[in-house]
Amino acid sequence: MSTDAIVLLKEDHQEMRRLFKEFQASEDAPASKRGRLVKQILEALTVHTWLENEIMYPEVRERLPELEDHILESYEEHHVADVLCFELSSMQPDDEHFNAKTTVLIENVLHHVEEEEQEWFPKVRESMGRKELQEMGQRMIDRRPEAPRSPTAPKALKKSLDAMRA
């Protein structure tokens, strides 16, 4: 298993894509199945964005000031996803807005993932050494157990509130 930070984040992205496809294929499934899938999506996104906000973004921002605009945009994209996740966490799967809100969340996250993977991850990899990315990835692995699992968890709410004040 790699400890490279970018590899770890891309693995998270792959898991989210898998969950998104499963949700999109569940259009005719019972609401309870869609609800379980969204709960998994919310957990995966909450953990992932917390790790990026706590470790990846601050460290890249400090080391690579030329990526400042990308990082700031990513914080804002996380904030939008956080709001949608929070709203979805309080909805029932049979709510008339549940599928639409989930679809908007998926579209926003896919856009964000594409920007990260295509635009700024390559710049980070080019500018930071392999050892630095492995050390950063190890910090992400070490901190993953303490990451919030729900958008309503205090650490997740704090992240959202911090984003509104920035």
Side-chain angles (χ1 to χ4, degrees):
M1 178 173 131
S2 175
T3 61
D4 181 292
I6 292 173
V7 171
L8 294 172
L9 293 174
K10 283 183 171 184
E11 287 172 355
D12 283 355
H13 291 170
Q14 280 302 108
E15 175 62 10
M16 285 184 267
R17 285 184 183 105
R18 184 191 68 73
L19 290 168
F20 294 165
K21 284 180 183 169
E22 195 172 340
F23 176 83
Q24 290 164 333
S26 74
E27 187 175 322
D28 297 325
S32 60
K33 178 177 180 176
R34 289 193 316 275
R36 283 191 303 276
L37 285 168
V38 168
K39 187 174 181 180
Q40 290 176 303
I41 289 168
L42 297 182
E43 180 176 341
L45 282 171
T46 301
V47 170
H48 178 80
T49 60
W50 187 84
L51 288 169
E52 283 187 328
N53 285 12
E54 289 292 311
I55 299 168
M56 180 73 158
Y57 293 175
E59 291 185 27
V60 169
R61 191 175 185 190
E62 181 180 315
R63 296 260 303 115
L64 306 170
E66 66 273 17
L67 295 181
E68 176 85 6
D69 289 343
H70 289 287
I71 300 294
L72 292 175
E73 182 179 335
S74 291
Y75 278 127
E76 294 304 319
E77 289 170 345
H78 279 193
H79 177 64
V80 170
D82 290 343
V83 170
L84 291 167
C85 287
F86 183 81
E87 291 174 355
L88 278 164
S89 72
S90 66
M91 294 174 75
Q92 295 301 313
D94 58 357
D95 184 293
E96 71 176 343
H97 293 274
F98 188 82
N99 289 343
K101 194 172 293 286
T102 303
T103 298
V104 170
L105 174 65
I106 289 169
E107 290 170 353
N108 277 282
V109 170
L110 289 174
H111 167 80
H112 171 74
V113 163
E114 184 175 317
E115 281 185 343
E116 277 187 342
E117 291 184 356
Q118 301 302 315
E119 294 178 25
W120 70 271
F121 279 1
K123 292 175 184 175
V124 170
R125 181 164 304 289
E126 183 180 304
S127 299
M128 293 180 77
R130 177 182 166 111
K131 185 174 190 242
E132 286 178 291
L133 288 171
Q134 288 175 334
E135 290 169 353
M136 184 187 306
Q138 188 59 56
R139 284 189 294 282
M140 292 166 67
I141 290 168
D142 293 344
R143 296 210 44 211
R144 185 174 286 269
E146 72 183 77
R149 299 291 190 262
S150 162
T152 59
K155 285 182 183 178
L157 292 172
K158 181 187 179 314
K159 175 178 65 102
S160 296
L161 290 172
D162 289 346
M164 288 192 302
R165 286 182 255 186

